[in-house]
Amino acid sequence: MSLVVAVASGKGGTGKTTVAVSLALAQRNHVQLLDCDVEEPNADIFLKPEFEKAEPVSIPVPQIDKSKCDFCGKCAQVCAYNALAVIKNDVLVFTQLCHGCGGCRRLCPRQAIIEVDRNIGKIESGAAGEIQFVRGKLNVGEAMSPPLIRAVKRRISSNGLVVIDVPPGTSCPVIEAIKGSHFCILVTEPTPFGLNDLILAVEVVRKMGVPTGVVINRAESGYDAIDAFCKEAGIPVLLRIPFDRRIAVAYSKGIPPRFVQKDLDKQLLNMLDSIRRLSLPPENH
């Protein structure tokens, strides 16, 4: 049975990917890392995997058979995303807005709609040593990332530890990436911006019913608001990564912090033990 741990953050630049990669490296055996930050995946910079396979990902979008269409407007009425518009004797299809739900095709009274595939990106998979690695890459200019994230998550291993690198923020792609996880790590930084976005992220994760804990990156004394919030909210602080110039220099070279902070692996494995105690049982999620 797998343990699925999502690593998220309310804002970009907190060190989310660094924590996700470090956790996978600390576990080392029977671990899979899914890079679901599909708009700008970068976990490979640290892991340097050898990619073995690439697969295109598409979503179905409507195509109108005008020989059957009577321009009744039903398709535009049922589309929640305004991807269709009926104007006199024409139907306009805005494929960039289409979520591929298929509602228009199913509800068309004249069966005048067929679906064609539109490529939105690709999935690349391979290995970095013993770590199985999967990432999604969204096409440049593409706005619809949740379908690609779902496609990446269909590759989740049924055994061992699964680490999901979640997109930053609190929008739809974040929710899609966290959904179904047994635990969510929220990575933050000890700044007012970090606290503000942590509060938003905690609210989202709690509404999803996923247990959560906090990792404070670039931790230093003098700003205690993160700890105060976590204590009041009943959220455990799982790990503190120090504000260390050596870590920043290593990061700039694509080197994980474990190579400069020698006890980090042990701390991460202790954190993982805590996560196992706090997480939802797989059979209940």
Side-chain angles (χ1 to χ4, degrees), residues 101-138:
C101 70
C104 58
R105 178 182 61 81
R106 293 183 180 90
L107 295 174
C108 177
R110 298 295 297 261
Q111 297 183 328
I113 298 177
I114 60 173
E115 291 178 329
V116 296
D117 287 337
R118 183 173 73 82
N119 180 267
I120 60 169
K122 63 181 178 179
I123 293 174
E124 296 177 319
S125 55
E130 297 183 65
I131 300 173
Q132 296 302 308
F133 184 80
V134 184
R135 74 174 180 185
K137 291 189 74 174
L138 196 68

Side-chain angles (χ1 to χ4, degrees), residues 8-12 14 167-170 186-188 193-194 196-201:
S9 62
K11 65 183 288 292
T14 61
T170 54
L186 292 174
V187 183
T188 189
F193 285 117
N196 178 76
D197 293 326
L198 174 64
I199 292 170
L200 297 176

Side-chain angles (χ1 to χ4, degrees), residues 4-8 34-37 146 149-150 153 156 164-167 171-181 208:
V4 182
V5 178
V7 184
L34 305 181
D35 194 342
C36 287
D37 190 0
I149 293 171
R150 284 193 292 270
K153 291 179 68 179
I156 286 180
I164 299 178
D165 187 5
V166 177
S171 59
C172 293
V174 175
I175 293 169
E176 193 62 54
I178 295 174
K179 187 189 302 179
S181 299
M208 296 177 69

